Amino acid sequence: MPTTFAATAGDIEASGRRCLAQVTNVRKPEEVDALVGAAIAKFRQDRFPDQQCGGQFPARPFDISDNGWRSVVDLNLNGTWNVTSRVGKHMVERGYGAIVSIVHIYSFDRGAPPFIHSGAARAGVVSMTRSLAYYWARKGVTINALAPGTIATAGVREEEFAHSDIENYEAVAVTDIPAHRLGRNVGA
């Protein structure tokens, strides 16, 4: 288990909460099955209040290889499906539960210019969420997609803004945000 993963698990347990720290490749259904089985065994039910199956890299459209496209879509969309479908099945059988998928604001109307592959996949997550809500709401299971927007982190500045064709991309990026600033990570 990676050091930061173990440290986070230790922090959670030190706060008096229980957690399950299990490295899982969400692209692999058999690993997701093992995670869900371990969660049910430990907690006597599956409890995944939120999931953030995702990752991407900034790239211009013609700079994304077929493999790069497939990798991002497989992680962001198929990985989310692998977790959601398995956890949702248990929640529907139980008659209650809630799933929240974390997506990006680019998943909605404006597209994702620096992350075309990720935007397409996460728009798929939003559509999947809406479709599943139709079936699962009457079974007592809520499912939502939360899009917090762009958060001011070193990673965003180093990986997204620094690779943009637009000079001072951050100033341009915030024009569509009502507060005219990036979100702040207050928990860090």
Side-chain angles (χ1 to χ4, degrees), residues 101-123:
S101 294
I102 309 298
V103 295
H104 195 284
I105 197 70
Y106 289 157
S107 307
F108 299 99
D109 298 330
R110 70 185 234 184
F115 304 100
I116 294 164
H117 43 6
S118 180
R122 291 175 193 233

mmCIF file with all atom_site columns, all heavy atoms in Angstrom, residues 101-123:
data_model
loop_
_atom_site.group_PDB
_atom_site.id
_atom_site.type_symbol
_atom_site.label_atom_id
_atom_site.label_alt_id
_atom_site.label_comp_id
_atom_site.label_asym_id
_atom_site.label_entity_id
_atom_site.label_seq_id
_atom_site.pdbx_PDB_ins_code
_atom_site.Cartn_x
_atom_site.Cartn_y
_atom_site.Cartn_z
_atom_site.occupancy
_atom_site.B_iso_or_equiv
_atom_site.pdbx_formal_charge
_atom_site.auth_seq_id
_atom_site.auth_comp_id
_atom_site.auth_asym_id
_atom_site.auth_atom_id
_atom_site.pdbx_PDB_model_num
ATOM 1   N N   . SER A 1 101 ? -20.813 10.705 -7.754  1.00 0.00 ? 101 SER A N   1
ATOM 2   C CA  . SER A 1 101 ? -19.639 10.664 -8.622  1.00 0.00 ? 101 SER A CA  1
ATOM 3   C C   . SER A 1 101 ? -19.119 12.080 -8.782  1.00 0.00 ? 101 SER A C   1
ATOM 4   O O   . SER A 1 101 ? -19.877 12.999 -9.090  1.00 0.00 ? 101 SER A O   1
ATOM 5   C CB  . SER A 1 101 ? -19.999 10.097 -10.001 1.00 0.00 ? 101 SER A CB  1
ATOM 6   O OG  . SER A 1 101 ? -20.365 8.743  -9.897  1.00 0.00 ? 101 SER A OG  1
ATOM 7   N N   . ILE A 1 102 ? -17.833 12.252 -8.570  1.00 0.00 ? 102 ILE A N   1
ATOM 8   C CA  . ILE A 1 102 ? -17.205 13.560 -8.726  1.00 0.00 ? 102 ILE A CA  1
ATOM 9   C C   . ILE A 1 102 ? -16.784 13.701 -10.190 1.00 0.00 ? 102 ILE A C   1
ATOM 10  O O   . ILE A 1 102 ? -16.035 12.868 -10.708 1.00 0.00 ? 102 ILE A O   1
ATOM 11  C CB  . ILE A 1 102 ? -15.972 13.704 -7.805  1.00 0.00 ? 102 ILE A CB  1
ATOM 12  C CG1 . ILE A 1 102 ? -16.304 13.328 -6.364  1.00 0.00 ? 102 ILE A CG1 1
ATOM 13  C CG2 . ILE A 1 102 ? -15.390 15.107 -7.920  1.00 0.00 ? 102 ILE A CG2 1
ATOM 14  C CD1 . ILE A 1 102 ? -17.336 14.182 -5.693  1.00 0.00 ? 102 ILE A CD1 1
ATOM 15  N N   . VAL A 1 103 ? -17.295 14.724 -10.849 1.00 0.00 ? 103 VAL A N   1
ATOM 16  C CA  . VAL A 1 103 ? -16.932 15.007 -12.231 1.00 0.00 ? 103 VAL A CA  1
ATOM 17  C C   . VAL A 1 103 ? -16.351 16.420 -12.283 1.00 0.00 ? 103 VAL A C   1
ATOM 18  O O   . VAL A 1 103 ? -16.060 17.005 -11.249 1.00 0.00 ? 103 VAL A O   1
ATOM 19  C CB  . VAL A 1 103 ? -18.149 14.846 -13.179 1.00 0.00 ? 103 VAL A CB  1
ATOM 20  C CG1 . VAL A 1 103 ? -18.624 13.398 -13.207 1.00 0.00 ? 103 VAL A CG1 1
ATOM 21  C CG2 . VAL A 1 103 ? -19.288 15.780 -12.819 1.00 0.00 ? 103 VAL A CG2 1
ATOM 22  N N   . HIS A 1 104 ? -16.184 16.969 -13.434 1.00 0.00 ? 104 HIS A N   1
ATOM 23  C CA  . HIS A 1 104 ? -15.658 18.329 -13.576 1.00 0.00 ? 104 HIS A CA  1
ATOM 24  C C   . HIS A 1 104 ? -16.727 19.198 -14.209 1.00 0.00 ? 104 HIS A C   1
ATOM 25  O O   . HIS A 1 104 ? -17.570 18.701 -14.956 1.00 0.00 ? 104 HIS A O   1
ATOM 26  C CB  . HIS A 1 104 ? -14.394 18.321 -14.443 1.00 0.00 ? 104 HIS A CB  1
ATOM 27  C CG  . HIS A 1 104 ? -13.612 19.589 -14.346 1.00 0.00 ? 104 HIS A CG  1
ATOM 28  N ND1 . HIS A 1 104 ? -13.998 20.742 -14.976 1.00 0.00 ? 104 HIS A ND1 1
ATOM 29  C CD2 . HIS A 1 104 ? -12.482 19.895 -13.672 1.00 0.00 ? 104 HIS A CD2 1
ATOM 30  C CE1 . HIS A 1 104 ? -13.141 21.705 -14.703 1.00 0.00 ? 104 HIS A CE1 1
ATOM 31  N NE2 . HIS A 1 104 ? -12.202 21.209 -13.908 1.00 0.00 ? 104 HIS A NE2 1
ATOM 32  N N   . ILE A 1 105 ? -16.688 20.455 -13.933 1.00 0.00 ? 105 ILE A N   1
ATOM 33  C CA  . ILE A 1 105 ? -17.646 21.392 -14.508 1.00 0.00 ? 105 ILE A CA  1
ATOM 34  C C   . ILE A 1 105 ? -17.630 21.310 -16.035 1.00 0.00 ? 105 ILE A C   1
ATOM 35  O O   . ILE A 1 105 ? -18.618 21.554 -16.706 1.00 0.00 ? 105 ILE A O   1
ATOM 36  C CB  . ILE A 1 105 ? -17.387 22.838 -13.988 1.00 0.00 ? 105 ILE A CB  1
ATOM 37  C CG1 . ILE A 1 105 ? -18.599 23.731 -14.236 1.00 0.00 ? 105 ILE A CG1 1
ATOM 38  C CG2 . ILE A 1 105 ? -16.135 23.418 -14.581 1.00 0.00 ? 105 ILE A CG2 1
ATOM 39  C CD1 . ILE A 1 105 ? -19.779 23.383 -13.383 1.00 0.00 ? 105 ILE A CD1 1
ATOM 40  N N   . TYR A 1 106 ? -16.487 20.913 -16.611 1.00 0.00 ? 106 TYR A N   1
ATOM 41  C CA  . TYR A 1 106 ? -16.392 20.727 -18.059 1.00 0.00 ? 106 TYR A CA  1
ATOM 42  C C   . TYR A 1 106 ? -17.283 19.586 -18.557 1.00 0.00 ? 106 TYR A C   1
ATOM 43  O O   . TYR A 1 106 ? -17.441 19.405 -19.747 1.00 0.00 ? 106 TYR A O   1
ATOM 44  C CB  . TYR A 1 106 ? -14.952 20.418 -18.464 1.00 0.00 ? 106 TYR A CB  1
ATOM 45  C CG  . TYR A 1 106 ? -13.967 21.546 -18.362 1.00 0.00 ? 106 TYR A CG  1
ATOM 46  C CD1 . TYR A 1 106 ? -12.615 21.278 -18.236 1.00 0.00 ? 106 TYR A CD1 1
ATOM 47  C CD2 . TYR A 1 106 ? -14.361 22.875 -18.407 1.00 0.00 ? 106 TYR A CD2 1
ATOM 48  C CE1 . TYR A 1 106 ? -11.672 22.298 -18.163 1.00 0.00 ? 106 TYR A CE1 1
ATOM 49  C CE2 . TYR A 1 106 ? -13.440 23.905 -18.325 1.00 0.00 ? 106 TYR A CE2 1
ATOM 50  C CZ  . TYR A 1 106 ? -12.097 23.612 -18.202 1.00 0.00 ? 106 TYR A CZ  1
ATOM 51  O OH  . TYR A 1 106 ? -11.186 24.619 -18.133 1.00 0.00 ? 106 TYR A OH  1
ATOM 52  N N   . SER A 1 107 ? -17.833 18.792 -17.666 1.00 0.00 ? 107 SER A N   1
ATOM 53  C CA  . SER A 1 107 ? -18.685 17.674 -18.057 1.00 0.00 ? 107 SER A CA  1
ATOM 54  C C   . SER A 1 107 ? -20.028 18.123 -18.599 1.00 0.00 ? 107 SER A C   1
ATOM 55  O O   . SER A 1 107 ? -20.774 17.328 -19.139 1.00 0.00 ? 107 SER A O   1
ATOM 56  C CB  . SER A 1 107 ? -18.938 16.768 -16.848 1.00 0.00 ? 107 SER A CB  1
ATOM 57  O OG  . SER A 1 107 ? -17.739 16.383 -16.255 1.00 0.00 ? 107 SER A OG  1
ATOM 58  N N   . PHE A 1 108 ? -20.340 19.382 -18.435 1.00 0.00 ? 108 PHE A N   1
ATOM 59  C CA  . PHE A 1 108 ? -21.660 19.872 -18.810 1.00 0.00 ? 108 PHE A CA  1
ATOM 60  C C   . PHE A 1 108 ? -21.599 20.638 -20.139 1.00 0.00 ? 108 PHE A C   1
ATOM 61  O O   . PHE A 1 108 ? -21.026 20.155 -21.086 1.00 0.00 ? 108 PHE A O   1
ATOM 62  C CB  . PHE A 1 108 ? -22.261 20.682 -17.659 1.00 0.00 ? 108 PHE A CB  1
ATOM 63  C CG  . PHE A 1 108 ? -22.433 19.842 -16.424 1.00 0.00 ? 108 PHE A CG  1
ATOM 64  C CD1 . PHE A 1 108 ? -21.507 19.892 -15.394 1.00 0.00 ? 108 PHE A CD1 1
ATOM 65  C CD2 . PHE A 1 108 ? -23.494 18.963 -16.300 1.00 0.00 ? 108 PHE A CD2 1
ATOM 66  C CE1 . PHE A 1 108 ? -21.644 19.106 -14.266 1.00 0.00 ? 108 PHE A CE1 1
ATOM 67  C CE2 . PHE A 1 108 ? -23.641 18.162 -15.183 1.00 0.00 ? 108 PHE A CE2 1
ATOM 68  C CZ  . PHE A 1 108 ? -22.719 18.238 -14.160 1.00 0.00 ? 108 PHE A CZ  1
ATOM 69  N N   . ASP A 1 109 ? -22.107 21.820 -20.188 1.00 0.00 ? 109 ASP A N   1
ATOM 70  C CA  . ASP A 1 109 ? -22.368 22.508 -21.446 1.00 0.00 ? 109 ASP A CA  1
ATOM 71  C C   . ASP A 1 109 ? -21.167 23.044 -22.211 1.00 0.00 ? 109 ASP A C   1
ATOM 72  O O   . ASP A 1 109 ? -21.216 23.150 -23.418 1.00 0.00 ? 109 ASP A O   1
ATOM 73  C CB  . ASP A 1 109 ? -23.341 23.672 -21.200 1.00 0.00 ? 109 ASP A CB  1
ATOM 74  C CG  . ASP A 1 109 ? -24.672 23.184 -20.674 1.00 0.00 ? 109 ASP A CG  1
ATOM 75  O OD1 . ASP A 1 109 ? -25.060 22.056 -21.014 1.00 0.00 ? 109 ASP A OD1 1
ATOM 76  O OD2 . ASP A 1 109 ? -25.323 23.931 -19.922 1.00 0.00 ? 109 ASP A OD2 1
ATOM 77  N N   . ARG A 1 110 ? -20.099 23.395 -21.562 1.00 0.00 ? 110 ARG A N   1
ATOM 78  C CA  . ARG A 1 110 ? -19.059 24.119 -22.273 1.00 0.00 ? 110 ARG A CA  1
ATOM 79  C C   . ARG A 1 110 ? -17.951 23.256 -22.849 1.00 0.00 ? 110 ARG A C   1
ATOM 80  O O   . ARG A 1 110 ? -17.062 23.757 -23.510 1.00 0.00 ? 110 ARG A O   1
ATOM 81  C CB  . ARG A 1 110 ? -18.479 25.211 -21.398 1.00 0.00 ? 110 ARG A CB  1
ATOM 82  C CG  . ARG A 1 110 ? -17.651 24.726 -20.239 1.00 0.00 ? 110 ARG A CG  1
ATOM 83  C CD  . ARG A 1 110 ? -17.234 25.876 -19.378 1.00 0.00 ? 110 ARG A CD  1
ATOM 84  N NE  . ARG A 1 110 ? -15.805 25.884 -19.213 1.00 0.00 ? 110 ARG A NE  1
ATOM 85  C CZ  . ARG A 1 110 ? -15.170 26.724 -18.452 1.00 0.00 ? 110 ARG A CZ  1
ATOM 86  N NH1 . ARG A 1 110 ? -15.830 27.644 -17.806 1.00 0.00 ? 110 ARG A NH1 1
ATOM 87  N NH2 . ARG A 1 110 ? -13.869 26.677 -18.334 1.00 0.00 ? 110 ARG A NH2 1
ATOM 88  N N   . GLY A 1 111 ? -17.968 21.972 -22.618 1.00 0.00 ? 111 GLY A N   1
ATOM 89  C CA  . GLY A 1 111 ? -16.902 21.122 -23.127 1.00 0.00 ? 111 GLY A CA  1
ATOM 90  C C   . GLY A 1 111 ? -15.641 21.269 -22.298 1.00 0.00 ? 111 GLY A C   1
ATOM 91  O O   . GLY A 1 111 ? -15.614 21.997 -21.319 1.00 0.00 ? 111 GLY A O   1
ATOM 92  N N   . ALA A 1 112 ? -14.606 20.542 -22.690 1.00 0.00 ? 112 ALA A N   1
ATOM 93  C CA  . ALA A 1 112 ? -13.357 20.528 -21.929 1.00 0.00 ? 112 ALA A CA  1
ATOM 94  C C   . ALA A 1 112 ? -12.178 20.740 -22.866 1.00 0.00 ? 112 ALA A C   1
ATOM 95  O O   . ALA A 1 112 ? -11.460 19.802 -23.182 1.00 0.00 ? 112 ALA A O   1
ATOM 96  C CB  . ALA A 1 112 ? -13.223 19.208 -21.184 1.00 0.00 ? 112 ALA A CB  1
ATOM 97  N N   . PRO A 1 113 ? -11.961 21.974 -23.345 1.00 0.00 ? 113 PRO A N   1
ATOM 98  C CA  . PRO A 1 113 ? -10.906 22.192 -24.339 1.00 0.00 ? 113 PRO A CA  1
ATOM 99  C C   . PRO A 1 113 ? -9.540  21.621 -23.980 1.00 0.00 ? 113 PRO A C   1
ATOM 100 O O   . PRO A 1 113 ? -8.919  20.987 -24.824 1.00 0.00 ? 113 PRO A O   1
ATOM 101 C CB  . PRO A 1 113 ? -10.876 23.711 -24.489 1.00 0.00 ? 113 PRO A CB  1
ATOM 102 C CG  . PRO A 1 113 ? -12.268 24.136 -24.154 1.00 0.00 ? 113 PRO A CG  1
ATOM 103 C CD  . PRO A 1 113 ? -12.708 23.192 -23.057 1.00 0.00 ? 113 PRO A CD  1
ATOM 104 N N   . PRO A 1 114 ? -9.033  21.777 -22.754 1.00 0.00 ? 114 PRO A N   1
ATOM 105 C CA  . PRO A 1 114 ? -7.700  21.216 -22.506 1.00 0.00 ? 114 PRO A CA  1
ATOM 106 C C   . PRO A 1 114 ? -7.715  19.704 -22.245 1.00 0.00 ? 114 PRO A C   1
ATOM 107 O O   . PRO A 1 114 ? -6.667  19.077 -22.184 1.00 0.00 ? 114 PRO A O   1
ATOM 108 C CB  . PRO A 1 114 ? -7.216  21.969 -21.267 1.00 0.00 ? 114 PRO A CB  1
ATOM 109 C CG  . PRO A 1 114 ? -8.419  22.567 -20.634 1.00 0.00 ? 114 PRO A CG  1
ATOM 110 C CD  . PRO A 1 114 ? -9.511  22.589 -21.647 1.00 0.00 ? 114 PRO A CD  1
ATOM 111 N N   . PHE A 1 115 ? -8.903  19.126 -22.089 1.00 0.00 ? 115 PHE A N   1
ATOM 112 C CA  . PHE A 1 115 ? -9.024  17.705 -21.731 1.00 0.00 ? 115 PHE A CA  1
ATOM 113 C C   . PHE A 1 115 ? -10.180 17.072 -22.510 1.00 0.00 ? 115 PHE A C   1
ATOM 114 O O   . PHE A 1 115 ? -11.150 16.602 -21.915 1.00 0.00 ? 115 PHE A O   1
ATOM 115 C CB  . PHE A 1 115 ? -9.294  17.550 -20.233 1.00 0.00 ? 115 PHE A CB  1
ATOM 116 C CG  . PHE A 1 115 ? -8.273  18.191 -19.355 1.00 0.00 ? 115 PHE A CG  1
ATOM 117 C CD1 . PHE A 1 115 ? -8.497  19.422 -18.783 1.00 0.00 ? 115 PHE A CD1 1
ATOM 118 C CD2 . PHE A 1 115 ? -7.075  17.548 -19.105 1.00 0.00 ? 115 PHE A CD2 1
ATOM 119 C CE1 . PHE A 1 115 ? -7.557  20.015 -17.971 1.00 0.00 ? 115 PHE A CE1 1
ATOM 120 C CE2 . PHE A 1 115 ? -6.120  18.131 -18.293 1.00 0.00 ? 115 PHE A CE2 1
ATOM 121 C CZ  . PHE A 1 115 ? -6.352  19.369 -17.724 1.00 0.00 ? 115 PHE A CZ  1
ATOM 122 N N   . ILE A 1 116 ? -10.083 17.030 -23.813 1.00 0.00 ? 116 ILE A N   1
ATOM 123 C CA  . ILE A 1 116 ? -11.188 16.541 -24.627 1.00 0.00 ? 116 ILE A CA  1
ATOM 124 C C   . ILE A 1 116 ? -11.557 15.102 -24.249 1.00 0.00 ? 116 ILE A C   1
ATOM 125 O O   . ILE A 1 116 ? -12.730 14.761 -24.128 1.00 0.00 ? 116 ILE A O   1
ATOM 126 C CB  . ILE A 1 116 ? -10.831 16.652 -26.116 1.00 0.00 ? 116 ILE A CB  1
ATOM 127 C CG1 . ILE A 1 116 ? -10.714 18.133 -26.474 1.00 0.00 ? 116 ILE A CG1 1
ATOM 128 C CG2 . ILE A 1 116 ? -11.847 15.949 -26.993 1.00 0.00 ? 116 ILE A CG2 1
ATOM 129 C CD1 . ILE A 1 116 ? -10.017 18.391 -27.768 1.00 0.00 ? 116 ILE A CD1 1
ATOM 130 N N   . HIS A 1 117 ? -10.567 14.275 -24.017 1.00 0.00 ? 117 HIS A N   1
ATOM 131 C CA  . HIS A 1 117 ? -10.795 12.877 -23.662 1.00 0.00 ? 117 HIS A CA  1
ATOM 132 C C   . HIS A 1 117 ? -11.501 12.750 -22.315 1.00 0.00 ? 117 HIS A C   1
ATOM 133 O O   . HIS A 1 117 ? -12.464 12.007 -22.159 1.00 0.00 ? 117 HIS A O   1
ATOM 134 C CB  . HIS A 1 117 ? -9.492  12.093 -23.662 1.00 0.00 ? 117 HIS A CB  1
ATOM 135 C CG  . HIS A 1 117 ? -8.326  12.794 -23.017 1.00 0.00 ? 117 HIS A CG  1
ATOM 136 N ND1 . HIS A 1 117 ? -8.402  13.999 -22.359 1.00 0.00 ? 117 HIS A ND1 1
ATOM 137 C CD2 . HIS A 1 117 ? -7.036  12.441 -22.950 1.00 0.00 ? 117 HIS A CD2 1
ATOM 138 C CE1 . HIS A 1 117 ? -7.220  14.356 -21.918 1.00 0.00 ? 117 HIS A CE1 1
ATOM 139 N NE2 . HIS A 1 117 ? -6.365  13.415 -22.261 1.00 0.00 ? 117 HIS A NE2 1
ATOM 140 N N   . SER A 1 118 ? -11.052 13.502 -21.336 1.00 0.00 ? 118 SER A N   1
ATOM 141 C CA  . SER A 1 118 ? -11.657 13.451 -20.004 1.00 0.00 ? 118 SER A CA  1
ATOM 142 C C   . SER A 1 118 ? -13.051 14.068 -20.016 1.00 0.00 ? 118 SER A C   1
ATOM 143 O O   . SER A 1 118 ? -13.977 13.548 -19.391 1.00 0.00 ? 118 SER A O   1
ATOM 144 C CB  . SER A 1 118 ? -10.768 14.188 -19.008 1.00 0.00 ? 118 SER A CB  1
ATOM 145 O OG  . SER A 1 118 ? -11.340 14.149 -17.715 1.00 0.00 ? 118 SER A OG  1
ATOM 146 N N   . GLY A 1 119 ? -13.217 15.184 -20.729 1.00 0.00 ? 119 GLY A N   1
ATOM 147 C CA  . GLY A 1 119 ? -14.533 15.817 -20.808 1.00 0.00 ? 119 GLY A CA  1
ATOM 148 C C   . GLY A 1 119 ? -15.565 14.897 -21.418 1.00 0.00 ? 119 GLY A C   1
ATOM 149 O O   . GLY A 1 119 ? -16.699 14.799 -20.940 1.00 0.00 ? 119 GLY A O   1
ATOM 150 N N   . ALA A 1 120 ? -15.180 14.178 -22.476 1.00 0.00 ? 120 ALA A N   1
ATOM 151 C CA  . ALA A 1 120 ? -16.104 13.241 -23.124 1.00 0.00 ? 120 ALA A CA  1
ATOM 152 C C   . ALA A 1 120 ? -16.478 12.107 -22.163 1.00 0.00 ? 120 ALA A C   1
ATOM 153 O O   . ALA A 1 120 ? -17.651 11.739 -22.042 1.00 0.00 ? 120 ALA A O   1
ATOM 154 C CB  . ALA A 1 120 ? -15.475 12.676 -24.401 1.00 0.00 ? 120 ALA A CB  1
ATOM 155 N N   . ALA A 1 121 ? -15.486 11.575 -21.473 1.00 0.00 ? 121 ALA A N   1
ATOM 156 C CA  . ALA A 1 121 ? -15.750 10.479 -20.538 1.00 0.00 ? 121 ALA A CA  1
ATOM 157 C C   . ALA A 1 121 ? -16.617 10.940 -19.375 1.00 0.00 ? 121 ALA A C   1
ATOM 158 O O   . ALA A 1 121 ? -17.561 10.254 -18.975 1.00 0.00 ? 121 ALA A O   1
ATOM 159 C CB  . ALA A 1 121 ? -14.426 9.905  -20.019 1.00 0.00 ? 121 ALA A CB  1
ATOM 160 N N   . ARG A 1 122 ? -16.327 12.105 -18.830 1.00 0.00 ? 122 ARG A N   1
ATOM 161 C CA  . ARG A 1 122 ? -17.089 12.575 -17.668 1.00 0.00 ? 122 ARG A CA  1
ATOM 162 C C   . ARG A 1 122 ? -18.488 13.031 -18.064 1.00 0.00 ? 122 ARG A C   1
ATOM 163 O O   . ARG A 1 122 ? -19.415 12.934 -17.259 1.00 0.00 ? 122 ARG A O   1
ATOM 164 C CB  . ARG A 1 122 ? -16.300 13.637 -16.932 1.00 0.00 ? 122 ARG A CB  1
ATOM 165 C CG  . ARG A 1 122 ? -15.080 12.983 -16.278 1.00 0.00 ? 122 ARG A CG  1
ATOM 166 C CD  . ARG A 1 122 ? -14.172 13.966 -15.623 1.00 0.00 ? 122 ARG A CD  1
ATOM 167 N NE  . ARG A 1 122 ? -12.917 13.322 -15.304 1.00 0.00 ? 122 ARG A NE  1
ATOM 168 C CZ  . ARG A 1 122 ? -12.378 13.323 -14.102 1.00 0.00 ? 122 ARG A CZ  1
ATOM 169 N NH1 . ARG A 1 122 ? -12.987 13.895 -13.092 1.00 0.00 ? 122 ARG A NH1 1
ATOM 170 N NH2 . ARG A 1 122 ? -11.223 12.744 -13.893 1.00 0.00 ? 122 ARG A NH2 1
ATOM 171 N N   . ALA A 1 123 ? -18.660 13.510 -19.292 1.00 0.00 ? 123 ALA A N   1
ATOM 172 C CA  . ALA A 1 123 ? -20.014 13.774 -19.785 1.00 0.00 ? 123 ALA A CA  1
ATOM 173 C C   . ALA A 1 123 ? -20.787 12.455 -19.845 1.00 0.00 ? 123 ALA A C   1
ATOM 174 O O   . ALA A 1 123 ? -21.984 12.407 -19.549 1.00 0.00 ? 123 ALA A O   1
ATOM 175 C CB  . ALA A 1 123 ? -19.973 14.451 -21.154 1.00 0.00 ? 123 ALA A CB  1
#
